[in-house]
Amino acid sequence: MIKNENILGEILVKKGIITSQALSQVQETRLKTFGKLIPTIISLNLAKEDPILRAVAEELNLPIIRLRDTTIEDKVIKKVPVRFAVYYRFMPIKLISSSPDASGKIYEQLTIAVPYPLDIRTRDELRLHLGLEIEMVLSPSDEIIQAIKKYYGFAADTLEKMTRYGMENIIDTSISQAEEKVEDIELAEKTEDASVIKLVNQIMLEAHNKRATDIHIEPYRGKLKLRYRVDGIIYNTNIPPAMKKFYPSILSRIKIMSNLNIVERRLPQDGRCIIKTEKETFDMRVSIIPTPWGESIVIRLLPTKMLYSLSELGLEPDELSVLTKLLDKPHGIIFVTGPTGSGKTTTLYASLSRLNTPDVKILTIEDPIEYELEGITQIQVMPEIGLTFARGLRSMLRHDPDIMMVGEVRDFETAEITIRIALTGHLIFSTLHTNDAASSVTRLIDMGIEPYLISSSVESFIAQRLVRTICPHCKIEDTMIPVELVKKEFNLPEDTDPKTLKIYKGRGCDNCNSTGYLGRTAIYEILLVDDKIRKLVISKSPSDEIKISAMKSGMKTLRQSGYNKMITGLTTFDEVTRITPADPSIRPEIVSAYIPKLKTEPVAVETARSERSETEIQRSPTREPQPKTETADTPMNIGAGRVYKRLSSRIPLEYTLYKISVNAAPEKQTKTSKAMTVDVSATGILFETNEPLLIGSILRLKIFIPSIPTIEALTRVQRVEVAKSDDKRSTFSEDRYWASCYYLDIETSAKSHLDTYIQQRT
């Protein structure tokens, strides 16, 4: 085994990873910095880690493992304290106990993953401290760091040191509450001393590394939760239970950083501060609210400097052309609508940045000011002193503006003043909270605004959403979505060629944290207020009529814009249908819209079990069907590339059959039948019943699983076969039928509950 790092250097030179001259440079640098050989080579950009590991593994006959694909038992984690794993930079992965020898003594061998081979002295130290024989395997250093966080919990080493030194009640007050200071979170995180400062900075730095926009720290009875919002979705972070007792100190530290009152615990508080890394500076917005188990914290991280460009927002060429023409108008209102977190402010700032020239005066009134824009006068709303949107708007007119932005129209007074200012010849931007562009008209009328004022002042309503984009590193074709479902959701013609409906998804990898998504882009719905729309507004027509009229005039809806992003491979089917409302022409009668035509003639059910192999009979309904069992209306490639695990278990369920004819809508039967599952997964189900169901039938299922809410789903039968009573998976004395179904409609939460249940039992 390796005695010193000189031998390791000779191996790398021998394998051609680095040259002799480069090795001399590395050794010189290593002696100055007291660093290790391999990390020094990587830091000097002389070689990548992967080829180094392969070369060392080949020469020393050591295996390389991928920790992200390895499951480690709890007994192994409990055997090795986190301080040893962090200090020596290894991850314990396996513990093997030998049989008792003649004296009755049992020897235990611990297999550890290391980023580079340990020398004999280090191995002896581990053997002495842990009392275990040590066997090494190699693994990339970043996977070891992530594995330590995953199995020991986030910041476990810092918490362990703080607990050891009794620092539960120590609160750092080194920053005056009257002073605004820029916190360097990377510099403080690299310090060796365990403290509340380091712990809080680790939380911030982890959020930055994960690309999180929000940090949620939530106290509950007896525990604490740390969650990050990444690409609009909140993810839990595994934290050690010890973090709960440090929460008062964490809370006080964050209050001090953001200039809040550390004594006040009964009222909500809002504050801010600036933090920075080596490359970026962030504005940290802090909101604290009281709960029964302590104060809950939400921190939003906003880059202090952003480059805003309309071309980078995600607009299609035709949408960009329309928006550019709107920005060139001399007066009127442009409303951007959508729920909180849909990117409205970014769109407005990009529009203002394009209009921000030396010969134009631009004023904004916002709550809060998200980003600072040079050359634009920005006003922060402060209701506690009477500075509301309405009052600020009246004062802004005296500053001779050309263009104005109102952060949000929330009430009648603000809306009326905004509209009347637009009628005096100003271009105004603002936002509304509505589901789509057409609903904004109804929203303004509900506020009390006269329809004639809306029709004469508003130039456009722009609805938008942010959809997650597929990770380019693990992008694959998605063959799990039935063609009929795609046609229904996007109102496509019946003769649409299935070959043109190529849909993609992310398999999940290290780059996207195994989510399949990396980043977000915007989709838009631009409703121009033309003469037809004005007539509908004045007559107070429903929002659906307004939307249909706009669609006939060429408006692209949010769903249609999302469809374009989907078929070009930018996002997924699930993401578009989750984030966008259905168009008016697609009514919510789910059953009738899924399958335009279904067979009415009886479908022959297999009667000879011997004609099919045991493997075919036992396969899950979510596996790819063989050509032998496909029917005319069975979607192609159902279940190709299994993502969800399946569970072979007997679980009670009920199903209701929908009668479907060619020229009539589905009619639900009143009779409910009982059955038992054979196989179940989060994408499909195989169950046993006493009646031969028709292939293509649509069923409403209720699956009764202990300890979780009843699972309800709309399913379609894709295969039916006879289950003989002598089959080991059948529990009935007489012959029954096995119906294989895939889900047409199931709630995301129900799907998550079902998958979690299956994961725990497989």
Side-chain angles (χ1 to χ4, degrees):
M1 183 47 71
I2 295 180
K3 296 181 179 180
N4 54 58
E5 295 203 340
N6 291 332
I7 299 178
L8 189 59
E10 293 173 3
I11 292 174
L12 297 179
V13 172
K14 175 184 175 182
K15 294 291 184 180
I17 303 299
I18 59 174
T19 63
S20 301
Q21 293 81 2
L23 178 61
S24 301
Q25 178 189 352
V26 170
Q27 296 287 19
E28 184 179 345
T29 304
R30 188 176 68 83
L31 292 174
K32 292 180 180 178
T33 59
F34 301 98
K36 297 288 186 179
L37 182 73
I38 292 179
T40 304
I41 293 173
I42 297 171
S43 65
L44 294 175
N45 294 321
L46 296 175
K48 299 292 184 182
E49 187 175 31
D50 282 346
I52 293 176
L53 285 182
R54 287 195 298 268
V56 174
E58 182 181 344
E59 183 70 18
L60 301 178
N61 197 25
L62 291 174
I64 297 177
I65 68 164
R66 293 293 177 180
L67 289 176
R68 62 172 177 265
D69 301 325
T70 304
T71 301
I72 303 172
E73 297 180 356
D74 289 340
K75 67 176 184 180
V76 180
I77 304 301
K78 293 177 181 177
K79 195 73 174 179
V80 181
V82 64
R83 63 179 182 274
F84 287 108
V86 173
Y87 180 79
Y88 290 105
R89 293 190 64 191
F90 71 86
M91 183 66 201
I93 57 175
K94 188 188 296 184
L95 185 65
I96 300 176
S97 300
S98 65
S99 301
D101 58 13
S103 63
K105 188 174 181 180
I106 298 176
Y107 292 92
E108 292 182 310
Q109 178 178 285
L110 177 68
T111 303
I112 63 174
V114 294
Y116 46 83
L118 302 179
D119 56 33
I120 294 177
R121 188 172 68 177
T122 303
R123 295 179 65 193
D124 288 342
E125 288 178 3
L126 284 175
R127 188 182 296 110
L128 176 64
H129 288 304
L130 300 177
L132 304 169
E133 294 297 322
I134 303 298
E135 183 181 76
M136 291 187 301
V137 297
L138 298 180
S139 186
S141 57
D142 59 337
E143 291 190 20
I144 291 174
I145 294 172
Q146 292 303 318
I148 291 174
K149 289 180 181 178
K150 176 181 178 180
Y151 289 100
Y152 285 101
F154 174 73
D157 56 326
T158 303
L159 289 167
E160 195 272 341
K161 290 179 183 177
M162 293 170 67
T163 302
R164 202 182 334 150
Y165 296 117
M167 301 175 64
E168 291 91 335
N169 300 315
I170 296 179
I171 301 172
D172 188 280
T173 57
S174 59
I175 302 176
S176 170
Q177 286 186 267
E179 176 188 5
E180 182 175 18
K181 182 177 179 179
V182 178
E183 291 291 318
D184 190 331
I185 59 175
E186 281 191 334
L187 182 62
E189 199 276 335
K190 291 176 183 177
T191 60
E192 296 296 330
D193 297 333
S195 65
V196 176
I197 295 177
K198 180 176 181 179
L199 180 58
V200 171
N201 288 336
Q202 282 180 310
I203 294 173
M204 305 295 178
L205 193 59
E206 182 74 2
H208 171 62
N209 293 336
K210 288 179 176 287
R211 302 179 298 105
T213 55
D214 298 88
I215 305 169
H216 296 251
I217 310 176
E218 305 160 338
Y220 296 96
R221 185 196 293 268
K223 63 180 179 180
L224 188 71
K225 279 191 176 183
L226 173 63
R227 304 197 289 172
Y228 295 111
R229 185 181 293 276
V230 183
D231 294 334
I233 304 296
I234 294 182
Y235 298 97
N236 279 325
T237 297
N238 180 28
I239 59 175
M243 189 175 285
K244 171 66 177 178
K245 62 183 178 182
F246 290 102
Y247 183 60
S249 298
I250 294 171
L251 177 63
S252 297
R253 169 62 183 169
I254 292 174
K255 283 184 176 181
I256 290 169
M257 290 174 65
S258 50
N259 291 326
L260 298 178
N261 186 350
I262 64 173
V263 179
E264 181 57 68
R265 297 187 177 92
R266 300 169 299 172
L267 296 174
Q269 296 189 72
D270 295 308
R272 58 175 291 183
C273 76
I274 297 175
I275 60 176
K276 75 180 186 70
T277 64
E278 292 181 359
K279 297 180 179 179
E280 291 186 78
T281 301
F282 292 89
D283 195 352
M284 188 177 86
R285 308 289 175 83
V286 179
S287 179
I288 298 176
I289 58 173
T291 73
W293 308 108
E295 293 175 275
S296 180
I297 307 172
V298 174
I299 302 171
R300 171 157 291 187
L301 299 176
L302 300 170
T304 55
K305 292 183 179 180
M306 290 187 67
L307 297 176
Y308 302 100
S309 171
L310 291 176
S311 60
E312 297 176 359
L313 293 179
L315 290 157
E316 300 289 340
D318 56 332
E319 294 171 337
L320 181 59
S321 176
V322 172
L323 182 55
T324 302
K325 291 178 181 178
L326 286 172
L327 297 181
D328 291 336
K329 289 184 176 292
H331 55 76
I333 304 176
I334 298 174
F335 279 110
V336 181
T337 76
T340 301
S342 59
K344 300 186 298 296
T345 302
T346 302
T347 299
L348 289 176
Y349 280 0
S351 301
L352 292 179
S353 295
R354 183 184 180 278
L355 298 172
N356 186 16
T357 57
D359 58 338
V360 174
K361 174 72 171 182
I362 302 177
L363 291 176
T364 73
I365 181 166
E366 307 170 58
D367 184 23
I369 297 173
E370 297 286 352
Y371 304 104
E372 297 178 8
L373 299 176
E374 186 176 349
I376 296 177
T377 303
Q378 297 172 273
I379 303 170
Q380 170 69 54
V381 170
M382 289 184 282
E384 63 273 12
I385 62 172
L387 180 53
T388 61
F389 281 111
R391 184 169 180 178
L393 275 170
R394 294 190 184 96
S395 300
M396 289 165 66
L397 278 177
R398 304 188 189 101
H399 279 253
D400 188 29
D402 297 296
I403 300 169
M404 301 168 65
M405 187 187 88
V406 182
E408 182 184 348
V409 171
R410 301 174 179 173
D411 50 46
F412 169 75
E413 186 180 14
T414 305
E416 185 183 39
I417 296 173
T418 301
I419 287 174
R420 295 195 181 278
I421 291 175
L423 292 174
T424 62
H426 295 83
L427 181 61
I428 300 181
F429 297 86
S430 191
T431 68
L432 285 169
H433 285 159
T434 59
N435 287 330
D436 58 10
S439 300
S440 302
V441 177
T442 309
R443 174 77 175 121
L444 290 173
I445 293 175
D446 287 344
M447 287 183 186
I449 303 300
E450 293 294 334
Y452 74 89
L453 289 176
I454 300 173
S455 63
S456 59
S457 62
V458 179
E459 294 293 335
S460 176
F461 295 100
I462 303 174
Q464 74 173 84
R465 295 289 191 280
L466 293 177
V467 294
R468 292 179 292 172
T469 53
I470 301 172
C471 174
H473 305 284
C474 59
K475 182 177 177 180
I476 59 173
E477 187 175 351
D478 188 356
T479 56
M480 300 284 290
I481 310 298
V483 174
E484 292 91 340
L485 189 57
V486 178
K487 290 179 180 179
K488 178 264 173 184
E489 290 292 344
F490 297 102
N491 200 26
L492 301 178
E494 287 304 315
D495 58 353
T496 301
D497 186 358
K499 295 180 181 179
T500 65
L501 299 178
K502 275 200 171 184
I503 303 174
Y504 298 88
K505 65 180 179 181
R507 184 177 57 249
C509 64
D510 289 344
N511 296 285
C512 60
N513 200 23
S514 299
T515 63
Y517 296 97
L518 188 64
R520 289 190 289 178
T521 188
I523 55 176
Y524 291 89
E525 176 180 287
I526 304 177
L527 191 157
L528 299 175
V529 182
D530 55 18
D531 291 339
K532 292 180 181 179
I533 301 299
R534 288 190 179 95
K535 290 178 181 178
L536 293 173
V537 172
I538 292 174
S539 63
K540 296 186 178 180
S541 299
S543 59
D544 273 8
E545 289 187 24
I546 295 174
K547 189 168 187 176
I548 291 172
S549 176
M551 290 172 66
K552 290 179 179 178
S553 298
M555 183 189 78
K556 188 189 301 178
T557 66
L558 287 169
R559 181 62 62 93
Q560 292 167 348
S561 180
Y563 173 78
N564 290 343
K565 292 286 195 297
M566 181 188 73
I567 61 173
T568 55
L570 280 177
T571 189
T572 65
F573 173 86
D574 290 341
E575 184 71 2
V576 174
T577 53
R578 177 184 72 87
I579 212 73
T580 60
D583 292 334
S585 55
I586 305 177
R587 298 299 178 185
E589 289 81 21
I590 298 174
V591 181
S592 61
Y594 274 116
I595 312 297
K597 278 192 176 182
L598 291 177
K599 293 184 178 181
T600 55
E601 67 275 16
V603 179
V605 180
E606 296 181 60
T607 57
R609 178 178 170 82
S610 59
E611 293 180 6
R612 303 189 62 173
S613 67
E614 182 71 12
T615 303
E616 277 186 292
I617 293 294
Q618 292 185 2
R619 76 166 185 263
S620 166
T622 56
R623 290 182 183 265
E624 183 175 353
Q626 302 295 327
K628 184 175 180 178
T629 61
E630 285 182 359
T631 61
D633 53 353
T634 299
M636 298 293 290
N637 296 326
I638 293 295
R642 173 175 295 280
V643 177
Y644 296 98
K645 291 185 177 180
R646 65 187 177 97
L647 176 66
S648 297
S649 179
R650 309 295 294 182
I651 300 172
L653 63 85
E654 292 179 354
Y655 67 86
T656 304
L657 175 67
Y658 288 88
K659 288 181 178 178
I660 301 179
S661 61
V662 175
N663 299 318
E667 178 186 353
K668 189 170 79 171
Q669 285 185 345
T670 57
K671 177 186 174 183
T672 297
S673 303
K674 297 183 182 298
M676 296 289 285
T677 65
V678 178
D679 283 328
V680 62
S681 78
T683 53
I685 189 169
L686 179 69
F687 66 88
E688 193 170 50
T689 179
N690 61 356
E691 58 179 329
L693 300 171
L694 297 182
I695 293 178
S697 300
I698 292 181
L699 311 176
R700 173 66 70 182
L701 292 185
K702 287 186 177 181
I703 309 172
F704 304 100
I705 300 176
S707 74
I708 69 173
T710 300
I711 304 294
E712 295 190 26
L714 193 70
T715 64
R716 182 188 178 202
V717 179
Q718 73 172 27
R719 190 180 75 248
V720 180
E721 58 192 47
V722 172
K724 293 293 185 180
S725 58
D726 59 354
D727 188 275
K728 61 183 180 181
R729 291 181 294 170
S730 180
T731 60
F732 298 97
S733 57
E734 69 276 8
D735 287 350
R736 291 288 179 112
Y737 301 95
W738 282 354
S740 173
C741 307
Y742 60 87
Y743 302 131
L744 290 175
D745 184 54
I746 183 172
E747 290 187 359
T748 304
S749 58
K751 191 174 185 179
S752 176
H753 285 313
L754 181 59
D755 187 49
T756 302
Y757 176 83
I758 294 170
Q759 293 271 8
Q760 293 171 349
R761 285 158 179 78
T762 54

